[in-house]
Amino acid sequence: MKATITSTAHYVPEKVLTNSELEKFVDTSDEWIQSRVGIKQRHVVNEGEASSDMSTEVAKSLLQKRGISPNEIDVIIIGTVTPDHPTPSTAAIVQNNIKAKNAWAFDLSAACSGFLYSLETGARFIESGKYKYIMVIGVDTMTSILDFKDRETCIIFGDGAGGVILEASKSNSGILGSILKTDGSGAESLNVLAGGSKFPASIDTINQRQHYIKQDGKKVFKFAIRKMSDVSTQLLKENGLSGTDVDLFIPHQANKRIIEATGERCGIPKDKVMINIDKYGNTTAGTIPIALNEAVEKNLISDGDYVLLSAFGSGFTWGSILIKWNSKN
Ligand code: COA
């Protein structure tokens, strides 16, 4: 039995932060950001708006599009590194917001790979035969951990959420395979140091700005291209395919140059590579499901198409998932 995606949705906050606005409080330029990263603007939450709020919008839209009631959802999995609170989980808040009273719900932490890890988990639950409908959401409110004095990070990220409903495929289509990886030796290159059990919040951690995301941009850049292209190529090979067979490649939207170099290394034609980083920036666990829903809404995917997803993020975590699209099931 294979799992298949039968509903897609996304939500981004209304408020837009352009590169020109960023120029006013950090030493950067619209020209630099567009040429080095490929971002023109990002959406950002209003004060008081959190990951559960964006996820709830996605969840409602997923249910409405699939035409099922909240009671039918068995499990809600939310990939995020910016939960509303350390506990309870964002997934529990969403479960209550949408009144999914038969669902159990949990968050999964894998940074920019959060949606792929969650999708893999949900797909295996479907394959077990125990569950019928699984809601998988990727969401991040990156502005809650951004240092607007650090030009290496604050220009890259944005806020947003996307998700899917998974159910058992009635054909041989759906999620064909996956390769997911972790290399914890990369922890120092991309992290938020404080606010957990190692460095609980204190006056010191705040003064040292340790609640913000920090990165070694150059290292992450190189690793992201190499690791995403390696697993994507291997996954295609395992399924008897090559880059030219891919109908749509939806990579994590971290940097336009990373996206283009990864597509090239996988031998995927440029016009088959989904890019929307210009509008949203890097929304961490949100990028892939947002791009997937945009692709569906723009009719860029038809049943029978090979859709390849790939991500890389903090941990390091990375991976690829191959789908033979089958939305009508
Ligand atoms: N605006 C203007 N100039 C900037 C800048 C900014 N926001 N950030 C860095 N610069 C400057 C640097 O100081 C440097 O100046 P110098 O040559 O005078 O020393 C110059 O631009 C080039 O810096 P460099 O670090 O080589 O830039 P880069 O091309 O590597 O781009 C990143 C920096 C962060 C955009 C890039 O490395 C990247 O995207 N890395 C991956 C990060 C990522 O995706 N993280 C999320 C995890 S999935």
Side-chain angles (χ1 to χ4, degrees), residues 26-33 35-37 111-113 142 150-157 189-190 213 215-222 224 228 252-258 277 282 284 311-314 316-317:
V26 67
D27 180 16
T28 190
S29 69
D30 177 43
E31 195 280 325
W32 192 93
I33 301 173
S35 61
R36 304 306 292 163
V37 199
C112 298
S113 308
M142 292 306 288
D150 177 4
R151 68 177 183 173
E152 290 238 349
T153 51
C154 76
I155 54 119
I156 291 177
F157 294 97
S189 305
L190 183 56
I213 189 162
Q215 67 174 2
D216 175 348
K218 274 192 200 313
K219 186 166 175 190
V220 173
F221 190 94
K222 281 188 207 147
M228 284 198 289
H252 171 52
Q253 308 283 308
N255 181 316
K256 194 169 177 222
R257 291 182 295 139
I258 295 178
I277 190 172
N282 180 351
T284 302
F312 181 88
S314 169
F316 293 136
T317 57

Side-chain angles (χ1 to χ4, degrees), residues 129-143:
K130 184 168 177 182
Y131 303 109
K132 195 164 176 204
Y133 294 109
I134 296 193
M135 189 177 269
V136 178
I137 292 174
V139 60
D140 273 299
T141 310
M142 292 306 288
T143 49

Side-chain angles (χ1 to χ4, degrees), residues 5-10 58 61-62 65 163-165 289 292-294 296-297 325:
I5 292 172
T6 55
S7 183
T8 62
H10 82 268
V58 170
S61 175
L62 286 171
K65 286 183 175 180
V164 301
I165 287 178
L292 180 63
N293 185 51
E294 280 205 341
V296 169
E297 286 180 345
W325 199 253

